[in-house]
Amino acid sequence: MSAEVVCTAIRDDIVAGYFPPGSRLTEELLAQRYGVSRVPVREALRTLESEGFVRTRKHAGASVAEPTEQEAADLLEIRGLLEPLGTARAAQRRTDAHLKVLRGLVRLGQERAVQGQVSDLPSLSGWFHETLAQASGSPTLAALLIQLRHKISWVYADGGAARAAEAWEEHAAIVDAVARGDAERARRLAAVHVEHAAAVRTLKHRVNAGRRRN
């Protein structure tokens, strides 16, 4: 198992809450959990530290980061700036393959929302937004947006079933604008979508407004 695969596995476990904020991450424990040597674990922890999921302190080792109140708020604000930009670029640069995937995801998402099968929606939404980011034609911007989504999913719970149908209607409108090549409309719709999503998000974990970084 490569360091990249191990990194993804640890990140997924952190986002899912298997490793809560503040919990220690020893190389031995992680190597046993994922059935690998310590070498890819060590590389994965360095990557996760650079992404902000892990903190390493001298003599204390690695632990899951504990976002502050300001850091949590920043995630939503940054999404509000970057996602409309990425969506506008997608309207200008998307391929037919991107459109096919986006339309298929919207169809599935709307069906699941109507049927009340909300357990499938977070993964479908994640796939939708990752595809939309990749359609921007900017690998750097796409990577930032995808990493940002991981961090928001780690820190915040979404609106759940209450907003499911509305969210997928917004996704459908965004795809329509992207398909038409209307960058300005796509940007506006994405900004409204992000604003609506932020309004119903709640923190998963307690944050410390006064926490100081060393």
Side-chain angles (χ1 to χ4, degrees):
M1 190 181 293
S2 68
E4 184 178 356
V5 173
V6 174
C7 181
T8 298
I10 298 172
R11 187 194 297 110
D12 287 348
D13 277 344
I14 290 173
V15 170
Y18 183 85
F19 298 121
S23 58
R24 290 195 64 200
L25 298 171
T26 66
E27 291 180 8
E28 182 179 6
L29 178 152
L30 296 173
Q32 290 176 352
R33 175 167 174 76
Y34 304 112
V36 297
S37 71
R38 293 188 181 190
V39 174
V41 168
R42 194 172 301 129
E43 292 180 30
L45 289 175
R46 282 198 292 265
T47 298
L48 292 168
E49 183 175 19
S50 71
E51 293 178 355
F53 288 98
V54 169
R55 294 187 66 200
T56 302
R57 291 178 176 173
K58 194 174 182 180
H59 306 308
S63 62
V64 179
E66 299 174 84
T68 65
E69 184 178 4
Q70 184 60 59
E71 287 169 335
D74 284 348
L75 293 175
L76 299 182
E77 185 175 356
I78 293 168
R79 183 190 178 195
L81 296 171
L82 292 185
E83 193 158 304
L85 171 62
T87 305
R89 286 193 176 181
Q92 299 167 325
R93 303 176 180 178
R94 55 77 182 168
T95 65
D96 289 342
H98 290 132
L99 273 183
K100 183 177 180 180
V101 173
L102 290 168
R103 284 171 168 156
L105 289 168
V106 165
R107 185 175 63 254
L108 283 174
Q110 289 178 321
E111 288 174 358
R112 297 295 192 276
V114 169
Q115 295 165 359
Q117 298 178 11
V118 295
S119 61
D120 295 337
L121 294 181
S123 59
L124 288 174
S125 182
W127 190 2
F128 174 87
H129 283 283
E130 288 193 16
T131 303
L132 189 62
Q134 290 160 356
S136 71
S138 170
T140 300
L141 180 57
L144 286 171
L145 284 166
I146 291 168
Q147 185 184 130
L148 190 60
R149 284 196 62 78
H150 287 315
K151 295 190 82 170
I152 289 173
S153 296
W154 169 42
V155 175
Y156 289 97
D158 62 24
R163 212 186 96 74
E166 180 186 7
W168 283 97
E169 286 299 323
E170 292 169 1
H171 288 163
I174 288 169
V175 172
D176 182 66
V178 168
R180 292 171 183 272
D182 191 337
E184 193 51 45
R185 178 168 170 76
R187 182 193 300 272
R188 289 198 307 270
L189 290 170
V192 169
H193 176 64
V194 171
E195 184 179 341
H196 287 173
V200 296
R201 287 192 182 275
T202 56
L203 289 166
K204 284 183 179 178
H205 314 286
R206 183 180 177 183
V207 295
N208 188 335
R211 189 183 305 281
R212 297 179 64 185
R213 293 301 187 207
N214 293 333

